[in-house]
């Protein structure tokens, strides 16, 4: 029936949930905005903020302010929005590992790595200093530069490598 | 679970359990340790072990009705008895403090970065002034974190007001965290009273903790006493046009199209209207205590319009604020009881089937982080009523939950679910509220729990609060009010461990079940977890300060480790 | 005491697992069956089930106390329905007498098939006490029986290694008031809510994977960190999409034919005179006028059957197509599929329902009067819907439209069954059809109230052998129902195998938990069934009218 019909039992190992808490959607968005440019807000609202069940971070029921503009509904504070329902005000504060989270991060990072403004933003800074300030913790920075040639890589590759790095997601 | 079937000839207790018990009670396949920790067997004491007491032929005054459709031979009973007798009661060896190493420790500046990001959802700028102070050695990371909280808000005449955008973020995050501790959010009961969300905030239980955190003068004792209620103050650049529950899908309901109604419909089909204040919407600007006489609802009703045939609604004078708590502070918060009442509209508690058990269950789970039962068989045997018409009253194992649960629930016996009006719909908003009956002092106290008492809801009552904490200490108290229950909760170690555990989980991802404290054999990782939790909990019990507790969490090895618990190397 | 290796392993697993602490605790997740899938088919509103899967007289000798509203057949011969000759017809399916519904044909991709084929692997549980009234309260309990504790789909998803541990296909009922919105996993597993009326719901689910796959060449140097996506990315998404679109067409066609074809013997095989053919004067009117009520409209249509002329069940075909793809490709562990009602009904010459006042003098003492006859003028749209919460859904409307509503759903289920049998997945899935409760019919036939102590759950799946029906019902309804002495509609009666207790929803949850190998969130309620040698095995077979 299908060409490829694969069981994904290998993923079991990455699903053992104990351990470090991951950043929720608010931090993920704010982090990426800070590192790759504020112009990414619409993209991040779509790929990160709206995925409440994947990234966690509860919505704020009464933070929702909804008005009608040109016969369309506008949510004045998108980060407060309970996209499915107000039951999402009870999702966990901390993020968690999952295949879906990885996929959405990867998708987002692929888009950022091709974004001209983000590339400009990164290019406008001293590369070494930029990468050093990217990580909150020195250890993460040290591990990163061991595995990636920041000096000679293309900016888009650097962005992708930084963005998809799992470490910054662990606050 | 393998049954031996034909040719069955049991040689040990496992054979008997497999053949006669596991089919319905698969948990009996667990290890001895687990059965002990669940109070199903008492080492060396078959006569006190629930599993043995239930067996036919055990002859120790137990129920003796298992297995229901088969018999047990003397040999089988003896095998079970000897097994339990052979388990030696082990006392826990006092252990040395855990030996561990943090593989990668955060610097003071990094500690501050971590808590900053956690509390604000923002990465910390390398140019941050406080970071410089830390790097210069003038401030520790943990102290910087506490300054962040301390400077987030100011207090103005008992109102908490955020100082800036950062303060708003910090307050919002803590409020979300505190709200997350309380699972129920849906006011809907027999009717989908979406109007309630316009008047009551289902997350407001958590506000009691937020208020205390940002106003340290408001102590733990204050959280658990009185009838105060709080609201979050908010502001918005634009005014919300739609009702909070009714804007997602068509038809969308606009605020200006709706009136708040009360009572029964008049002859012409209309209703009386009132003008309560709606829950504020927008960005958080602070916390305010709700005034005692805010939003007085004149009348409530005790049934709904589509029950006209069998139970016509009557109008009941209410004339009270819809926000006032029922005593005990947070545990008697209008929203908390309403969300957890679990009783039908108009029902009066009868002390038997009708009791707000869901509320008392929620209380034990959410404030003490325990699951019922917490009592042992010996604690409850005297309350078993063999002649009761209620099956659970006749049963020791059921009473292990009910003794704790029902006694607490009795303290909320005088509460009844009502509606502001018997119907809502096009153009009308009705909502759900709790009515409180006055206690009739002329009625007698009851000495035993009734099967069904038609006056229970207004009878004077003294709860026998019986609870075993996680250290197995039995707490027995006579309580007659929610304030007294609140005070008692503050005397139980479990509350302090529970609150510590919840903050610890948020800040470090480490989730330590309280039952680990009483686990007999712990591995190295568990020993460290228990040490950390105990230190936090007992420290919190001493300081009674949420801020102190949070500060202590920044000092834990988990928080200081780059990779949290995964970065702890145990020796 | 020696602790052997087996105990140590159990202890190690137990210390990291959610465990309940009561006498009815279950052995934990070591027995979780990774390839089993649970699909919850949720109908919010609590429509009546006596026409469909609630056999109120399951045996030849079953005693019932007839209720005038519990009818499903025009028994007269001829081309016109005779309202004074309506009966509750039954048909024998294996060992049970099921409602006549099961005699009819359903439309599938391989032509017409007998509805009873769906009962070849079916368990029906009737007479379940929910204990308390309330739509939202009870619908949420269907998956989350104990507020604040992990719910069933959360427990199943928590042990899942699938790409989508849990998916919720949202419908008109929204998320909040219903079961799908109660998802809570202590292991922090994910549930994805697929919004209804999304332009491309299939794409919505697979969005990130599809877009990543298209750019796979760009992330060669981060492959190690994202190696666990490799397997998912090997799926042929184009092929999946084509199959989804094909399946969607099949299901939509089945639904369309099933709900529009007037070929049901004893029901739609003859004309049914509508209300407009009656002479209605002001003042008191006969109660039979209320038979035509459908909430805010009294249906006038000259031939009542024409109400179905423009009807649809929105989104259902789409949902079943997505469900099949997810099941066949082992992409889910649990799925909640929320079902919309029949909408876009065709009305002509109809009246506003508030033209007709139902006057209540006392219990079972009502009459109807008309003071101002108002024509119904709203044009056809989705608000012309069959009201599932059928308080004011009259006898005829209920009988006719319920039957077609369930016919639409059954045609999808039967198609799904046949498709999954073909892909050898039928044994791996349990479909659970549920609503809050059944209905307690009004004595005057003008509608029905909530029957909160007569919930019905039906299960379909290859692990169920044959048709099994369990649960006792009262011949004449008792206290703890809306109406006492209201005949046999399905109010639950006590079960002697359960120590003379009522069957409660927790028994079903415990059964499902046991079947799937997870800890039950209702440890105080014995499991109604368990899993033995891969098959569902009932722990009681009581099925009596008492």
């Amino acid at each position: 029936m299908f060409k490829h019909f694969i069981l994904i039992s290998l993923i079991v190992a990455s699903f053992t949930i104990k351990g470090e808490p991951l950043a929720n959607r608010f931090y993920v968005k704010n982090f990426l905005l800070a590192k790759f440019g504020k112009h990414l807000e619409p993209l991040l609202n779509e790929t990160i903020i709206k995925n409440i069940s994947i990234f966690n971070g509860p919505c704020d029921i009464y933070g929702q302010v909804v008005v009608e503009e040109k016969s369309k509904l506008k949510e004045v504070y998108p980060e407060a929005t309970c996209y499915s329902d107000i039951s999402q005000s009870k999702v966990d504060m901390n993020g968690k590992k999952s295949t879906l989270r990885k996929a959405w991060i990867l998708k987002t990072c692929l888009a950022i790595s091709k974004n001209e403004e983000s590339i400009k933003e990164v290019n406008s800074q001293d590369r070494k200093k930029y990468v050093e300030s990217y990580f909150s913790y020195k250890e993460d920075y040290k591990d990163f530069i061991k595995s990636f040639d920041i000096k000679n890589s293309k900016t888009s590759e650097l962005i992708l490598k930084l963005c998809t790095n799992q470490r910054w997601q662990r606050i | 679970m393998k049954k031996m079937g034909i040719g069955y000839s049991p040689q040990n207790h496992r054979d008997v359990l497999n053949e006669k018990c596991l089919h319905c009670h698969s948990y009996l396949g667990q290890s001895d340790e687990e059965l002990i920790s669940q109070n199903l067997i008492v080492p060396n004491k078959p006569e006190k072990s629930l599993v043995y007491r239930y067996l036919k032929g055990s002859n120790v005054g137990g129920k003796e009705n298992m297995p229901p459709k088969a018999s047990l031979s003397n040999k089988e009973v003896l095998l079970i008895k000897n097994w339990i007798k052979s388990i030696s009661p082990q006392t826990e060896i006092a252990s040395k403090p855990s030996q561990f190493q943090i593989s990668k420790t955060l610097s003071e500046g990094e500690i501050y970065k971590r808590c900053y990001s956690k509390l604000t959802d923002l990465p910390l700028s390398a140019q941050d002034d406080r970071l410089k102070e830390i790097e210069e050695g003038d401030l520790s990371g943990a102290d910087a974190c506490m300054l962040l909280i301390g400077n987030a808000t100011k207090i103005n005449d008992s109102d908490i007001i955020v100082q800036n955008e950062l303060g708003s973020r910090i307050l919002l995050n803590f409020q979300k965290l505190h709200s997350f501790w309380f699972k129920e959010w849906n006011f809907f009961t027999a009717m989908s009273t979406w109007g309630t969300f316009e008047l009551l905030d289902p997350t407001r239980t958590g506000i009691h903790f937020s208020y205390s955190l940002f106003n340290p003068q408001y102590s733990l004792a204050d959280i658990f006493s009185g009838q105060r209620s709080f609201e979050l103050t908010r502001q918005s650049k634009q005014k919300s046009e739609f009702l909070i529950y009714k804007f997602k899908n068509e038809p969308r309901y606009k605020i200006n199209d709706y009136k708040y109604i009360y009572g029964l419909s008049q002859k012409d089909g209309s209703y009386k209207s009132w003008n309560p204040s709606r829950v504020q919407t927008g960005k958080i600007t602070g916390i305010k205590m709700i005034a005692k006489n805010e939003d007085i609802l004149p009348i409530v009703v005790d049934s709904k319009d589509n029950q006209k045939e069998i139970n016509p609604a009557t109008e009941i004078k209410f004339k009270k604020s819809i926000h006032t708590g029922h005593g005990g502070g947070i545990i008697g918060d209008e929203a908390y009881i309403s969300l957890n009442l679990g009783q039908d509209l108009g029902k009066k508690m009868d002390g038997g089937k009708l009791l707000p058990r869901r509320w008392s269950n929620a209380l034990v789970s959410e404030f003490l982080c325990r699951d019922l039962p917490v009592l042992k068989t010996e604690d409850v045997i005297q309350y078993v009523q063999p002649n009761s018409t209620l099956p659970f009253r006749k049963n020791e194992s059921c009473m292990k939950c009910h003794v704790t649960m029902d006694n607490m629930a009795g303290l909320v016996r005088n509460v009844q679910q009502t509606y502001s009006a018997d119907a809502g719909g096009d153009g009308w908003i009705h909502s759900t509220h709790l009515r409180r009956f006055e206690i009739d002092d002329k009625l007698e106290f009851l000495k035993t729990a009734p099967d069904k008492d038609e006056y229970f809801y207004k009878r004077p009552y003294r709860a026998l609060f019986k609870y075993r904490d996680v250290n197995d200490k039995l707490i027995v108290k006579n309580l007659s009010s929610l304030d007294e229950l609140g005070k008692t909760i503050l005397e139980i170690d479990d509350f302090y461990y529970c609150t510590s555990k919840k903050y610890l989980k948020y800040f470090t991802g480490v989730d330590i079940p309280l039952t680990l404290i009483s686990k007999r054999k712990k591995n190295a990782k568990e020993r460290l977890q228990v040490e950390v939790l105990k230190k936090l909990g007992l420290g919190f019990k001493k300081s009674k300060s949420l801020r102190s507790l949070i500060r202590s969490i920044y000092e834990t090895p988990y928080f200081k480790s780059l990779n949290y618990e995964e970065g702890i190397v145990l020796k | 005491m020696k602790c052997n290796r087996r105990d140590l392993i159990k202890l190690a697993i137990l210390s990291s697992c959610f465990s309940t602490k009561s006498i009815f605790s279950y052995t934990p997740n070591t027995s979780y069956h990774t390839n089993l899938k649970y699909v919850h088919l949720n109908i919010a509103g609590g429509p009546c089930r006596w026409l469909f899967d609630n056999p109120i007289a399951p045996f030849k000798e079953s005693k019932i106390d007839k209720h005038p509203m519990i009818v499903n057949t025009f028994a007269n011969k001829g081309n016109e329905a005779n309202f004074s000759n309506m009966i509750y017809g039954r048909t024998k399916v294996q060992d049970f007498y099921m409602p006549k519904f099961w005699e009819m044909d359903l439309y599938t991709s391989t032509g017409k098939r007998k509805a009873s084929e769906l009962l070849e692997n079916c368990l029906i549980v009737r007479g379940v006490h929910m204990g308390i009234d309330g739509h939202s309260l009870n619908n949420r309990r269907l998956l989350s029986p104990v507020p604040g504790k992990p719910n069933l789909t959360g427990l199943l998803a928590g042990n899942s290694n699938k790409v989508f541990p849990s998916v919720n296909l949202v419908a008109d009922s929204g998320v909040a008031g219903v079961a799908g919105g109660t998802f809570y996993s202590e292991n922090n597993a994910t549930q994805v809510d697929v919004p209804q009326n999304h332009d491309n719901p299939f794409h919505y689910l697979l969005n990130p994977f599809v877009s990543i796959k298209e750019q796979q060449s760009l992330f060669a140097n981060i492959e190690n960190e994202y190696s666990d996506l490799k397997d998912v990315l090997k799926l042929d998404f184009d092929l999946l999409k084509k199959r989804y679109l094909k399946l969607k067409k099949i299901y939509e066609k089945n639904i369309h034919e099933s709900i529009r074809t007037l070929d049901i013997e004893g029901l739609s095989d003859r004309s049914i005179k509508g209300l407009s053919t009656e002479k209605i004067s002001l003042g008191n009117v006969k109660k039979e006028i209320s038979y035509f009520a459908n909430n805010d409209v009294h249906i006038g249509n000259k031939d009542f059957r024409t109400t179905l002329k423009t009807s649809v069940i929105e989104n259902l075909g789409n949902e079943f197509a997505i469900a099949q793809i997810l099941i066949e490709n082992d992409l889910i562990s649990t799925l909640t599929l929320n079902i919309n009602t029949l909408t876009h009904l065709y009305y002509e010459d109809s009246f506003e329902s508030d033209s007709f006042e139902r006057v209540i003098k006392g219990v079972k003492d009502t009459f109807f009067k008309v003071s101002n006859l108002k024509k119904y003028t709203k044009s056809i749209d989705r608000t012309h819907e069959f009201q599932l919460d059928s308080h004011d859904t009259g006898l005829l409307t209920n009988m006719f439209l319920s039957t077609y509503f369930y016919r639409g759903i059954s045609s999808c289920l039967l198609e799904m069954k046949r498709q999954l049998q073909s892909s050898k997945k039928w044994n791996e899935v349990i479909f659970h059809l549920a609503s809050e409760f059944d209905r307690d019919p009004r004595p005057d036939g003008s509608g029905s109230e909530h029957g909160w102590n007569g919930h019905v759950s039906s299960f379909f799946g290859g692990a169920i052998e044959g048709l099994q029906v369990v649960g006792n019902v009262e011949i004449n309804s008792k206290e703890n129902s809306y109406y006492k002495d209201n005949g046999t509609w399905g109010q639950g009666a006590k079960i002697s195998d359960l120590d003379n207790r009522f069957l409660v929803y927790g028994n079903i949850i415990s059964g499902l938990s046991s079947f799937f190998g997870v800890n039950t969130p209702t440890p105080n309620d014995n499991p109604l069934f368990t899993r033995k040698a891969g098959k569902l095995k009932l722990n009681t077979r009581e099925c009596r009218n008492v």
Side-chain angles (χ1 to χ4, degrees), chain B residues 51-59 64-66 72 77 80:
Chain B
V51 168
Y52 187 72
R53 287 176 67 81
Y54 266 87
L55 297 183
K56 288 177 180 171
S58 56
N59 250 337
E64 294 197 39
N65 61 355
M66 288 290 151
L72 285 179
V77 175
I80 301 288

Side-chain angles (χ1 to χ4, degrees), chain B residues 334-350:
Chain B
E334 168 81 8
Y336 191 65
I337 297 186
S338 184
L339 290 166
N340 291 292
L341 191 68
Q343 293 297 334
D344 249 335
L345 170 68
K347 286 277 195 270
K348 291 176 182 154
M349 307 306 159
D350 68 1

